[in-house]
Amino acid sequence: MIDNGRIINVSKTDIDARGAQVIDARGKYVSPGFIDIHIHGGGGHDFMDNTTEAFLGIAELHARHGTTAMFPTTLTCEKADLLETLRIYEEADKLNISGAQLMGIHLEGPFFAMNQRGAQDPRFIRDPDPEEYHDILSRSKFIKRWSAAPELKGAIDFGRYMVQNGVLPAIAHTDAIYEEVIGAFNAGYTLATHFYSAMSGVTRRNAFRYAGVVESAYLIDDMDVEVIADGVHLPAPLLKLIYKIKGSAHIALITDAMRAAGMPPGESILGGLKNGTKVIVEDAVAKMPDRSAFAGSVATFDRLVRNMVQLAEVPLSEAVRMASEAPARIMKIDDRKGSIEPGKDADIVLFDDHISVSTTIVNGKIVYNTYGD
Ligand SMILES: [Zn+2]
């Protein structure tokens, strides 16, 4: 039973709910809403379009696919554009009544290893500059996470400063080796951003081998990892390997979706409409125009859960855990979200055996419902 946006009672037997609206979930799974901690866009919009319409459009598109809470993610860009995104976030948050709830901002860049930049704009990639990140953090209280390469000069200080300010530093676009990752983990970098993508594995330097971020994340038991389970970025054997070693408690499924999520294949733009990069969407993924690298996923969250069950052969309850409980804990919102329990926000999704979502409830409000269609 839900009241005032919260779950107040969970029972397998009938409960006295006179006067309440009854939702019949017969034949469906009742699941905690999905929490996407790394997402750039969807429905033809990118958060960096810097319009409230874009924010609301993305929140609504993904709510139709089961996402009830999300952390809008920026790309490496001009500082002025970033500050505008921080401002628009606050405006959009107030207007957002029919989409997934905005839980805070994830900054992706610009403190990355040039060699591992992927689709991030090389013009803006640099080492952490305290003056710059102090200033950016002071502009918005909604920044909750910042992805950076921990081997860069100044990156450990950056990580400590983030933790002191309630921001989660995450390891991303990096060439770090094990010794550097241990130092980073101890400084607060407890999450590996889009695991396997844009990060080091085993490398050789003058004949000697070094463990990279991938091996380090496996070795450090408490390191959390994000997995783009769109079925394209990581093939089934790697999804299985990650699950086998890290377990559902330390994996957050993410879409890392760009604007073409929920849109037909063809040309699209990665990043904001003004300064973005032209990309091509085919084979259910966005690619750089020369097809040499992926340029973001076009997944929606239902697809991630379906892939974990069908491709990685993970039990559904475990896939749901990686979609709700684990990301809630990683982002420290598990006091409110991530499970169906009395006292928690009423973020609930109904779906069938094919993980086809029929109802999405955000904070007790039905924002998507196929009944009567
Ligand atoms: Zn991303």
Side-chain angles (χ1 to χ4, degrees):
M1 191 152 82
I2 296 168
D3 190 32
N4 227 343
R6 297 266 174 88
I7 298 164
I8 56 168
N9 196 342
V10 181
S11 171
K12 285 182 179 163
T13 56
D14 280 351
I15 47 180
D16 184 8
R18 265 168 290 186
Q21 177 189 0
V22 175
I23 301 170
D24 185 355
R26 208 170 307 171
K28 310 273 184 195
Y29 292 100
V30 180
S31 163
F34 306 144
I35 301 171
D36 198 347
I37 67 174
H38 188 155
I39 175 167
H40 299 272
H45 309 284
D46 188 291
F47 290 114
M48 300 216 69
D49 291 348
N50 283 342
T51 62
T52 53
E53 293 76 39
F55 272 74
L56 301 179
I58 297 163
E60 282 170 30
L61 181 275
H62 286 278
R64 298 167 67 90
H65 297 275
T67 302
T68 55
M70 57 169 56
F71 288 81
T73 301
T74 61
L75 281 171
T76 299
C77 61
E78 302 255 19
K79 188 175 169 193
D81 286 342
L82 179 64
L83 295 180
E84 181 67 358
T85 309
L86 300 181
R87 195 181 68 75
I88 299 287
Y89 175 98
E90 296 190 35
E91 258 178 51
D93 191 22
K94 290 184 196 121
L95 299 171
N96 181 20
I97 48 165
S98 46
Q101 188 180 350
L102 308 181
M103 299 305 299
I105 301 163
H106 166 209
L107 303 185
E108 191 174 5
F111 313 130
F112 287 150
M114 189 58 85
N115 190 35
Q116 294 282 10
R117 66 184 179 277
Q120 303 276 338
D121 192 331
R123 288 177 300 160
F124 306 116
I125 289 182
R126 54 190 175 270
D127 289 347
D129 170 3
E131 208 171 302
E132 182 183 10
Y133 63 73
H134 290 183
D135 180 47
I136 290 172
L137 267 200
S138 73
R139 305 293 187 107
S140 170
K141 61 178 192 292
F142 295 99
I143 298 168
K144 298 294 177 201
R145 167 176 172 198
W146 201 327
S147 289
E151 73 276 21
L152 300 180
K153 190 167 167 284
I156 296 298
D157 286 343
F158 167 84
R160 289 206 185 96
Y161 187 81
M162 291 303 122
V163 172
Q164 281 160 14
N165 286 277
V167 178
L168 174 67
I171 301 179
H173 296 267
T174 166
D175 268 328
I177 59 172
Y178 178 72
E179 291 72 12
E180 290 163 333
V181 178
I182 286 284
F185 183 81
N186 291 333
Y189 287 87
T190 55
L191 171 66
T193 299
H194 45 51
F195 197 41
Y196 275 102
S197 296
M199 65 173 56
S200 49
V202 176
T203 50
R204 265 175 66 167
R205 298 179 190 179
N206 301 323
F208 291 96
R209 278 195 181 78
Y210 292 86
V213 175
V214 170
E215 294 74 29
S216 305
Y218 284 138
L219 276 171
I220 303 169
D221 287 339
D222 287 332
M223 179 77 84
D224 300 311
V225 299
E226 277 185 345
V227 172
I228 307 173
D230 64 347
V232 183
H233 279 75
L234 296 168
L238 286 182
L239 293 176
K240 289 178 183 177
L241 178 65
I242 300 167
Y243 174 69
K244 183 175 183 174
I245 300 180
K246 297 307 297 183
S248 59
H250 289 289
I251 297 171
L253 303 182
I254 54 163
T255 62
D256 196 8
M258 48 83 73
R259 76 172 66 241
M263 302 292 282
E267 279 194 1
S268 187
I269 292 169
L270 177 72
L273 279 179
K274 199 169 60 145
N275 295 318
T277 314
K278 204 179 259 185
V279 297
I280 177 140
V281 177
E282 59 182 16
D283 306 323
V285 70
K287 300 174 184 172
M288 299 304 272
D290 64 359
R291 297 179 168 80
S292 64
F294 294 145
S297 109
V298 294
T300 48
F301 220 117
D302 46 355
R303 190 170 139 199
L304 310 180
V305 175
R306 195 179 307 124
N307 282 339
M308 289 313 287
V309 172
Q310 294 178 0
L311 288 181
E313 297 171 345
V314 164
L316 176 60
S317 59
E318 289 281 275
V320 166
R321 205 172 166 208
M322 295 182 258
S324 53
E325 193 180 310
R329 185 205 33 92
I330 291 167
M331 294 310 297
K332 297 193 174 70
I333 53 170
D334 51 337
D335 56 331
R336 291 170 282 158
K337 302 204 180 279
S339 58
I340 299 180
E341 285 176 86
K344 293 257 175 107
D345 293 346
D347 292 352
I348 294 168
V349 184
L350 306 189
F351 54 75
D352 62 15
D353 282 324
H354 304 285
I355 327 295
S356 177
V357 171
S358 54
T359 304
T360 305
I361 302 171
V362 177
N363 288 315
K365 181 170 183 253
I366 300 171
V367 297
Y368 175 66
N369 195 1
T370 57
Y371 281 92
D373 276 13

